[in-house]
Amino acid sequence: MNPAPYTTSVLLIVLLGCLAAVSEATIFTCNATTTATCQSIINFKFVNASSYGNISSFFQVPLASILGANNLPYTTSSTGTVPGNTTLKVPVPCRCTNGIGQSDQIPVYIVQPGDDLDAIARNKFDQFVNYTEIANVNNISNPALIQIGQKLWIPLPCSCDPVEGKKVVHLAYQVASGNSVAGIAAMYGTTESTLLKLNGISDPKSLLAEQILDVPLQVCESSINDTSPDHGLLLPSGTYAYTANGCVNCSCNLNSSSMLDCSLASSRNRACPADTCSGNLTLGQSSGTGCGATTCAYSGYTNITSFKILTTSVTNQSTSCKSAATRHTGPAASAWMKLIVSLHLILMSLCFL
Ligand SMILES: *[C@@H]1O[C@H](CO)[C@@H](O)[C@H](O)[C@H]1NC(C)=O
Ligand SMILES: *[C@@H]1O[C@H](CO)[C@@H](O)[C@H](O)[C@H]1NC(C)=O
Ligand SMILES: *[C@@H]1O[C@H](CO)[C@@H](O)[C@H](O)[C@H]1NC(C)=O
Ligand SMILES: *[C@@H]1O[C@H](CO)[C@@H](O)[C@H](O)[C@H]1NC(C)=O
Ligand SMILES: *[C@@H]1O[C@H](CO)[C@@H](O)[C@H](O)[C@H]1NC(C)=O
Ligand SMILES: *[C@@H]1O[C@H](CO)[C@@H](O)[C@H](O)[C@H]1NC(C)=O
Ligand SMILES: *[C@@H]1O[C@H](CO)[C@@H](O)[C@H](O)[C@H]1NC(C)=O
Ligand SMILES: *[C@@H]1O[C@H](CO)[C@@H](O)[C@H](O)[C@H]1NC(C)=O
Ligand SMILES: *[C@@H]1O[C@H](CO)[C@@H](O)[C@H](O)[C@H]1NC(C)=O
Ligand SMILES: *[C@@H]1O[C@H](CO)[C@@H](O)[C@H](O)[C@H]1NC(C)=O
Ligand SMILES: *[C@@H]1O[C@H](CO)[C@@H](O)[C@H](O)[C@H]1NC(C)=O
Ligand SMILES: *[C@@H]1O[C@H](CO)[C@@H](O)[C@H](O)[C@H]1NC(C)=O
């Protein structure tokens, strides 16, 4: 056998193997409940220069949500330039259906001249989906037959499931060359073992560039009531979002607090009737800092009889406070001992008199 064709065929097989692996979009498990919805995030690289407004309309995601998810100033203009190769977090509504999470009816892509489903999946949506998935959700029986102007729902991978018993926001992360599972875990505040388990990866070395990983992001605890229309609001650390019809601005920074930090939005342009907490604290105000401090926290809104923003008093009793309290018994007890010793000394001195 001539070695040349042999090498070529091996190369071909290897190449085909790579292509097959790369074109395989990932399914994110989503079995929270049969029809749960939530916010999920796509970590998307915009290869071509663009603007925030164009990105917002491309994904049909409000500009304010994109700005909040990337912690960009809320004053950022929709005409603001996004340079080529910028990666942005795009928040998308997610729906679980039959154990699979997919972006809920958005984005909708309008077929352009020269498009085919595979090119749309690869080039416009960076392989976060593949053509079979687009064909499936749009009931396209022959993927080769699409028409210019046709509207296609692009089902992006997402999830609403808690991870290891904790509420999280799921990030669809596209592996870049040079990434390692441990490196990605460190970048997003999770662990290698969590990522391996969640993504069903047995060998961390098998990670491929452009593969899509489900990365759970830590979120702030919230005191939003289950009866409020925004009860599912979860924010990853380092992000903000508006809620209660734009009246309330919430942010999460786990470096400074484990609680969602909400206050009346400074840009609110309508009547935003908010409850005050006991002690006349207004929404977002605190009686102090650290252990024992009371914060007037956001607990949702109601539209039932009239629009009203609800608050609740939250006292800081975090675990670090409890351990701090335990430690305090040490010095407190020794103070009593000193007092008792001093009393004895005084009594003894009295005897000498
Ligand atoms: C598309 O992705 C799905 C997983 O979501 C996979 O089962 C399927 O084989 C992929 N199709 C192609 C053509 O790669
Ligand atoms: C989802 O359901 C599947 C099958 O029932 C199970 O194997 C998996 O652990 C579940 N995932 C989560 C995150 O609960
Ligand atoms: C944004 O979209 C508009 C209309 O589709 C287009 O004319 C403009 O060139 C785009 N701008 C950028 C920076 O992509
Ligand atoms: C984006 O990155 C690619 C690959 O690294 C490069 O070829 C391209 O020129 C970059 N585009 C811009 C606008 O910087
Ligand atoms: C980027 O621009 C090039 C040249 O205009 C175009 O062919 C390509 O489809 C664009 N990529 C995306 C993701 O829109
Ligand atoms: C696809 O078909 C199913 C079942 O016939 C239907 O429920 C669904 O709405 C259709 N989806 C689209 C995008 O037309
Ligand atoms: C949630 O709101 C309902 C109705 O406003 C109230 O009865 C309930 O006590 C609230 N739950 C919590 C945990 O605050
Ligand atoms: C929290 O602190 C770490 C380390 O100092 C930093 O990298 C990260 O950006 C901070 N997070 C936020 C949300 O400020
Ligand atoms: C909302 O909160 C973020 C983070 O604290 C802040 O940067 C932004 O200015 C606030 N926006 C408004 C309108 O209050
Ligand atoms: C709250 O404010 C009202 C009027 O501004 C005042 O009468 C009342 O004493 C205040 N209550 C507390 C607990 O400070
Ligand atoms: C409560 O106090 C502790 C100790 O000062 C602090 O580390 C923690 O961030 C506080 N928690 C909140 C929710 O403010
Ligand atoms: C609540 O009421 C406001 C004002 O009437 C309205 O704009 C908004 O859409 C309502 N929100 C919900 C969730 O019903």
Side-chain angles (χ1 to χ4, degrees):
M1 189 183 171
N2 184 340
Y6 175 73
T7 321
T8 319
S9 53
V10 166
L11 264 177
L12 253 178
I13 288 163
V14 168
L15 262 176
L16 283 173
C18 292
L19 285 176
V22 163
S23 67
E24 206 165 316
T26 320
I27 289 176
F28 284 10
T29 308
C30 190
N31 43 11
T33 64
T34 43
T35 56
T37 57
C38 67
Q39 286 281 317
S40 199
I41 298 177
I42 312 293
N43 202 52
F44 201 86
K45 181 165 153 186
F46 295 90
V47 177
N48 293 339
S50 182
S51 66
Y52 289 107
N54 281 19
I55 288 170
S56 167
S57 50
F58 184 68
F59 280 96
Q60 295 104 50
V61 168
L63 176 62
S65 305
I66 294 174
L67 297 178
N70 293 279
N71 209 22
L72 292 161
Y74 71 91
T75 46
T76 304
S77 162
S78 66
T79 57
T81 305
V82 178
N85 288 336
T86 300
T87 300
L88 287 176
K89 295 193 180 75
V90 180
V92 293
C94 181
R95 179 177 292 274
C96 310
T97 312
N98 302 325
I100 293 171
Q102 291 179 320
S103 57
D104 192 9
Q105 304 295 327
I106 66 156
V108 170
Y109 178 81
I110 299 174
V111 176
Q112 308 291 309
D115 278 345
D116 63 68
L117 283 188
D118 189 49
I120 292 168
R122 280 173 195 282
N123 305 333
K124 305 291 180 189
F125 292 95
D126 256 1
Q127 304 180 44
F128 276 91
V129 283
N130 65 28
Y131 72 86
T132 35
E133 291 171 319
I134 301 177
N136 285 346
V137 299
N138 292 283
N139 297 339
I140 297 171
S141 47
N142 182 354
L145 285 183
I146 53 167
Q147 272 135 35
I148 294 166
Q150 186 175 351
K151 289 180 177 168
L152 300 174
W153 163 30
I154 310 296
L156 301 172
C158 63
S159 181
C160 301
D161 285 355
V163 172
E164 290 165 353
K166 279 190 164 169
K167 288 180 181 176
V168 298
V169 166
H170 290 259
L171 176 83
Y173 178 84
Q174 186 167 43
V175 175
S177 57
N179 276 169
S180 67
V181 179
I184 297 165
M187 207 155 45
Y188 291 107
T190 181
T191 64
E192 185 181 36
S193 69
T194 302
L195 285 187
L196 294 175
K197 211 163 94 191
L198 186 59
N199 292 281
I201 301 172
S202 45
D203 177 12
K205 290 192 202 73
S206 69
L207 199 66
L208 291 173
E210 305 196 312
Q211 186 179 344
I212 311 293
L213 281 191
D214 184 353
V215 179
L217 304 179
Q218 289 176 282
V219 296
C220 283
E221 287 168 45
S222 134
S223 37
I224 301 176
N225 193 310
D226 285 345
T227 60
S228 178
D230 60 351
H231 65 87
L233 181 69
L234 293 176
L235 294 182
S237 194
T239 71
Y240 70 89
Y242 294 97
T243 185
N245 302 324
C247 284
V248 173
N249 183 14
C250 296
S251 63
C252 170
N253 185 343
L254 290 170
N255 287 347
S256 55
S257 169
S258 59
M259 287 292 299
L260 198 59
D261 181 7
C262 300
S263 47
L264 288 171
S266 57
S267 64
R268 64 191 185 278
N269 56 5
R270 61 170 77 79
C272 293
D275 279 349
T276 48
C277 292
S278 60
N280 287 351
L281 291 176
T282 59
L283 180 57
Q285 282 186 328
S286 291
S287 65
T289 53
C291 300
T294 299
T295 301
C296 189
Y298 173 65
S299 68
Y301 67 97
T302 171
N303 254 8
I304 294 165
T305 47
S306 62
F307 175 53
K308 197 157 173 49
I309 296 163
L310 309 171
T311 59
T312 183
S313 288
V314 175
T315 304
N316 186 341
Q317 289 170 324
S318 72
T319 42
S320 61
C321 291
K322 278 172 204 141
S323 58
T326 332
R327 263 184 268 117
H328 279 153
T329 56
S334 69
W336 276 110
M337 286 308 290
K338 273 182 202 150
L339 189 61
I340 289 163
V341 169
S342 323
L343 276 173
H344 273 116
L345 282 174
I346 292 167
L347 285 173
M348 276 161 74
S349 337
L350 280 175
C351 294
F352 280 109
L353 288 175

